[in-house]
DNA sequence: TCTTAATGTTACAGAAATATTACAAATTAA
DNA sequence: TTAATTTGTAATATTTCTGTAACATTAAGA
């Protein structure tokens, strides 16, 4: 799935054309013909990108935009604004109010598609920034959450640190001593076998629904993340 | 004007490169090669964002960071930390001491630029927005009112500031120390356990009519708004 | 195959962290 | 000033986590 796109645009012909073409490209698309309703539906739909007409019957594009940026669930939702020729003034206002890109009507679908790809690509890195990812395993250091294939996994503090440690250098094998030194607070004395128990707990937590084992035992050496 | 950016970094070549590119992008940039002086100049300059090297000749990045977060004029200044490869340990500390994002040297300017935009956009609402919204929770900073699903909720001053703080960066986990530093007036000494009690009061107030819990306890780390 | 060392598994008691409650002091409103 | 509200803390209850020991299983060489 390439992503979900929401369209707010009052010209039905444009909506139809764009929606059809985007769906053909593999996007999931939903749309609304006016601002107020659009805002509500959009928040239910949770798109990855919004195509927003600047001249709507009820709300102005700016109002829609501001509303979205105020809502913390959507404040980083990429927005491409659709503007009629000659609305240069508005373009500037648009960019100032947090729009990511704009395109002037009439536009070709190819042009729009290119912009969408660019904006989606640009907006990607911010998602990655604080996340450690390995295969279908994701650990968010800021939110302190762990996911396996998008299912959230509950970990105790030690298991969290342990997994964080493995994720920094996947595939690398660490001895029990190395693990102890890094994962446990300094000056703490714990039995080396204690690590085995925590490894077991971590394994149990992240090996959900029969997914493949992610922690490898290297006999006489230690453990590694696959 | 896109914004003002201050750089504290001791490698002159990096400063020069980044400063030049940022200025070309339309930012106003100023910089310093060491921590102590940097702190002074920064406070005069009043930037919208700080790029902070983690290994400085005089002060550590953590010290600079703490100093900034203690100063009520700058405690919400977004900070992106520049770290050398392999300083993973420090990254963790950095994120815990209130840094917004980090980037590992060497980095491309495009990468940095993307991070800057993301952080600036994320941090934008906290300066401007009168209303902070998260799911069915709404806090009006001007009218000092809080609503859950359109029902007004009465909060004491401390609970109000606490909720406001959480709403600025929902989902992010904050330690008790970070909460204390930001939510309580400077130089006030309160027991760290006191926060638990205020969390309890806040929870009790906003969890109306059996709606779902909105404050998450992250054992050994702190609390977050879901 | 047998032996042995290494690792896996389990259960549990204490420890640590957090939740809850009550109350007195401090602050604010009336 | 009195009454009402808000705050911080300490004491207690509850929950969750940790480390260890005891026993089970596995792998690899003799």
């Amino acid at each position: 799935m390439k992503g979900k796109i929401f369209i707010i645009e009052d010209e039905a012909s444009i909506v139809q054309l764009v929606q059809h073409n985007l769906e053909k490209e593999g996007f999931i698309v939903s749309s609304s013909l006016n601002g107020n309703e659009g805002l509500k539906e959009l928040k239910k739909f949770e798109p990855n990108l919004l195509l927003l007409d600047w001249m709507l019957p009820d709300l102005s594009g700016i109002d829609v935009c501001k509303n979205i940026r105020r809502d913390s669930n959507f404040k980083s939702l990429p927005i491409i604004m659709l503007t009629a020729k000659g609305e240069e003034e508005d373009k500037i206002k648009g960019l100032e109010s947090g729009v990511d890109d704009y395109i002037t009507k009439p536009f070709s679908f190819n042009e729009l598609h290119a912009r969408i790809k660019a904006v989606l690509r640009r907006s990607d890195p911010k998602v990655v920034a604080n996340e450690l990812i390995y295969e279908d395993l994701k650990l968010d250091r800021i939110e302190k959450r762990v996911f396996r294939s998008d299912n959230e996994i509950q970990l105790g503090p030690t298991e969290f640190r342990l997994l964080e440690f493995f994720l920094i250098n996947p595939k690398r094998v660490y001895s029990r001593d190395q693990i102890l030194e890094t994962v446990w607070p300094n000056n703490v004395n714990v039995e080396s076998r204690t690590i085995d128990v925590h490894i077991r707990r971590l394994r149990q937590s992240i090996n959900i629904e029969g997914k493949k084992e992610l922690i490898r035992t290297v006999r006489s050496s230690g453990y590694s993340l696959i």
Side-chain angles (χ1 to χ4, degrees), chain A residues 19-31:
Chain A
Q19 180 153 3
H20 174 252
N21 276 294
L22 285 176
E23 283 170 348
K24 224 170 56 185
E25 285 293 334
F27 292 100
I28 293 176
V29 187
S30 180
S31 59

Side-chain angles (χ1 to χ4, degrees), chain A residues 134 137 162-163 165-176 178-179 195 199 202-203 206-207 213-219 221-226:
Chain A
Y134 183 79
L137 201 59
L162 190 56
L163 179 58
F165 173 65
F166 279 124
L167 276 166
I168 288 169
N169 272 101
K171 300 190 175 185
R172 177 169 176 164
V173 178
Y174 291 99
S175 70
R176 291 185 174 65
Q178 287 175 310
I179 294 173
I195 290 169
I199 289 282
L202 180 55
R203 275 176 166 153
I206 67 180
N207 288 359
E213 180 66 51
L214 282 180
I215 292 175
R216 176 170 59 121
T217 303
V218 182
R219 190 164 246 256
S221 294
Y223 298 96
S224 81
L225 187 62
I226 284 296

Side-chain angles (χ1 to χ4, degrees), chain A residues 141-157:
Chain A
R141 292 168 138 180
I142 290 201
E143 297 181 9
K144 307 266 182 202
R145 288 178 191 274
V146 174
F147 300 86
R148 175 103 194 245
S149 300
D150 295 323
N151 302 302
E152 181 163 7
I153 287 167
Q154 231 54 46
L155 293 183

Side-chain angles (χ1 to χ4, degrees), chain A residues 28 51 194:
Chain A
I28 293 176
L51 300 179
T194 298

Side-chain angles (χ1 to χ4, degrees), chain A residues 73-92:
Chain A
N73 292 310
F74 298 96
K75 68 177 155 200
S76 61
L77 171 68
I79 300 176
I80 296 180
M81 119 193 186
L82 313 173
T83 150
K85 198 155 195 158
E87 295 174 350
E88 295 294 336
E89 262 301 277
D90 291 350
K91 281 186 193 172
I92 299 171

Side-chain angles (χ1 to χ4, degrees), chain A residues 104-152:
Chain A
T104 305
K105 293 189 269 193
F107 47 81
S108 74
F109 178 72
N110 279 339
E111 205 182 332
L112 179 63
H113 191 203
R115 295 282 168 89
I116 288 174
K117 280 203 293 188
V119 167
L120 280 181
R121 186 170 45 220
R122 247 187 295 158
S123 71
D124 220 21
K126 70 186 147 214
V127 186
V128 199
N130 310 301
E131 292 177 346
L132 297 169
I133 298 176
Y134 183 79
E135 294 189 358
D136 62 345
L137 201 59
K138 191 172 84 178
L139 179 149
D140 189 313
R141 292 168 138 180
I142 290 201
E143 297 181 9
K144 307 266 182 202
R145 288 178 191 274
V146 174
F147 300 86
R148 175 103 194 245
S149 300
D150 295 323
N151 302 302
E152 181 163 7

